[in-house]
Amino acid sequence: MKKYFFLAAVALMAASCTSDNDQLLDESTVANQSEPATVTLTFSPYETEAMTRAAQSVSAFATRLDIWLFEDGAEITSVHQTKDDDGFGTLTLTLDRRKTYTLYALAHRSTEATTLENHIARWKDDKVTHTFYCTETFCPADKQTLACLMQRIVGQFRLEITDDIPEGMASIRFSIPQTATRYNIVTAENTNITDRTTDITYGGKSSTFSLYLLAADDAPTLFGITVTALDQDGQPLQQRQFAGVPIQNGYQTTYRGEFFIDAPVAVSFTVADWQSFDTVEF
């Protein structure tokens, strides 16, 4: 089932856009500026199935929402929200209705807001999380309703361990060579290719572990993923290497099998028609 976000914006005044270099207006300077307009941005996720659409809270999919507003190629403001903020997913700005603006937004589940430098968005510790992205160029005078589809820019690798997990296991480590860890919000390109290591603490309950990777939208990218079970001292209990793992943005790739019992492994995959790859039994 594919999940979407929609961005709706309402411009409350109408006039033609120009290329003047006016900047973002705050409430204290509106009286001294001409052509002000209030723009309300509302981020609302929807779950779509067949011909139905049921609205849900943005907090069901993301814990943070980072928004940047550009005018004439320069950033003029940024807003960083968390799910605990009042009005999470809604933003009201006072803009010059004659101007043309470009909005970029990332919704994600990192523990901190993404930072932006030279258009490159970076997650805390370069740990890529479940992330959605959208961009839209608009003029407050011309569009009273602005719809922006927010879509996943990551694929998910899902490991399901079917045998018993030993009592001494404290964490699972994913090691992925030469993978992107940052994202250019202007060009929509994956950047900062590096060897990535991500540790996930084992809580003693679920035997399913998920990792998110920046990939491509139009075809699977093949990754090599090494998974290591670690004890409390960081010593390996078991390790498995998976070659040619297909990861595609918006798709979930599941590997399921006995992790701690050594046995010959035969791996194959096919691309399913609807937002998932066939589960690989190993």
Side-chain angles (χ1 to χ4, degrees):
M1 184 178 296
K2 191 173 184 179
K3 295 181 174 62
Y4 297 95
F5 285 174
F6 286 90
L7 165 65
V10 179
L12 301 182
M13 301 184 68
S16 62
C17 290
T18 70
S19 59
D20 295 342
N21 293 321
D22 296 332
Q23 296 297 311
L24 176 75
L25 306 175
D26 57 34
E27 297 298 333
S28 63
T29 60
V30 168
N32 298 321
Q33 301 289 339
S34 61
E35 310 290 352
T38 300
V39 178
T40 300
L41 309 173
T42 303
F43 294 78
S44 301
Y46 290 89
E47 185 169 323
T48 306
E49 183 176 14
M51 297 296 291
T52 63
R53 188 175 70 179
Q56 298 186 29
S57 170
V58 67
S59 61
F61 302 97
T63 57
R64 292 186 177 272
L65 180 63
D66 300 323
I67 305 163
W68 299 270
L69 194 68
F70 282 66
E71 194 264 317
D72 278 348
E75 179 186 340
I76 58 174
T77 192
S78 64
V79 178
H80 304 280
Q81 299 180 344
T82 72
K83 68 175 183 179
D84 296 326
D85 294 337
D86 293 336
F88 177 56
T90 300
L91 175 65
T92 299
L93 297 172
T94 301
L95 305 173
D96 190 321
R97 64 182 178 181
R98 302 169 300 175
K99 309 311 302 174
T100 297
Y101 302 93
T102 300
L103 176 137
Y104 303 95
L106 290 174
H108 58 95
R109 300 187 66 83
S110 181
T111 57
E112 295 183 6
T114 50
T115 58
L116 192 67
E117 183 177 355
N118 296 326
H119 303 156
I120 305 297
R122 178 179 180 178
W123 290 264
K124 175 178 169 56
D125 299 326
D126 282 330
K127 182 180 178 181
V128 180
T129 70
H130 194 186
T131 305
F132 296 79
Y133 165 81
C134 75
T135 180
E136 186 74 22
T137 298
F138 67 98
C139 172
D142 291 344
K143 289 189 177 181
Q144 293 185 343
T145 300
L146 177 67
C148 180
L149 177 64
M150 201 171 199
Q151 59 186 3
R152 287 182 177 91
I153 58 170
V154 294
Q156 183 191 72
F157 175 71
R158 179 182 175 94
L159 176 69
E160 297 181 1
I161 299 176
T162 59
D163 54 339
D164 292 335
I165 294 179
E167 293 184 0
M169 192 184 86
S171 62
I172 284 282
R173 173 171 295 168
F174 293 96
S175 300
I176 311 97
Q178 295 301 287
T179 182
T181 59
R182 301 174 192 175
Y183 187 77
N184 189 314
I185 63 169
V186 174
T187 64
E189 294 177 326
N190 302 327
T191 66
N192 195 48
I193 307 301
T194 187
D195 295 338
R196 175 185 167 192
T197 299
T198 297
D199 290 352
I200 299 178
T201 301
Y202 173 57
K205 295 180 180 180
S206 175
S207 57
T208 299
F209 304 88
S210 296
L211 175 75
Y212 296 94
L213 298 167
L214 292 166
D217 295 329
D218 55 352
T221 302
L222 301 183
F223 289 88
I225 300 178
T226 299
V227 185
T228 308
L230 303 173
D231 64 16
Q232 293 182 349
D233 297 323
Q235 298 301 309
L237 299 173
Q238 178 63 294
Q239 183 179 91
R240 289 196 180 275
Q241 295 180 339
F242 303 107
V245 179
I247 303 294
Q248 184 173 344
N249 290 345
Y251 283 73
Q252 181 185 81
T253 302
T254 301
Y255 274 43
R256 179 189 300 125
E258 295 178 333
F259 186 84
F260 294 96
I261 298 176
D262 289 324
V265 178
V267 177
S268 63
F269 71 89
T270 58
V271 178
D273 291 333
W274 182 241
Q275 292 304 106
S276 66
F277 294 104
D278 287 351
T279 297
V280 175
E281 306 286 352
F282 65 88

